Amino acid sequence: MAFWKRRQALEQGAPAPEFTLPALNGSAVSIKDALAEGPVLLAFFKVSCPVCQLTFPFLERLHQGAAGKLRVFGISQ
């Protein structure tokens, strides 16, 4: 069963399930590979969500301020 179809939440501190997503450039991004390079922030959003839209500038500033220390990925519904 795919990880997104599970209904139970992860326990705090539990590792994220392994998954790979397509990148905008056509390549694939694996959570395992991304975590091997350092901390990762996954931001799940819906483009039409007003709260998500208000969050984008904050995430961009976070990404800019932590350049090289934190990888930020936006995952659209």
Side-chain angles (χ1 to χ4, degrees), residues 22-39:
L24 293 175
N25 65 5
S27 66
V29 177
S30 160
I31 186 67
K32 182 179 178 182
D33 294 341
L35 286 169
E37 295 179 26

Side-chain angles (χ1 to χ4, degrees), residues 3 6 9-20 30-35 40-42 44 75:
F3 80 92
R6 294 183 189 159
L10 294 174
E11 292 292 324
Q12 182 176 350
E18 175 58 32
F19 61 92
T20 302
S30 160
I31 186 67
K32 182 179 178 182
D33 294 341
L35 286 169
V40 173
L41 171 64
L42 301 177
F44 294 86
I75 302 170

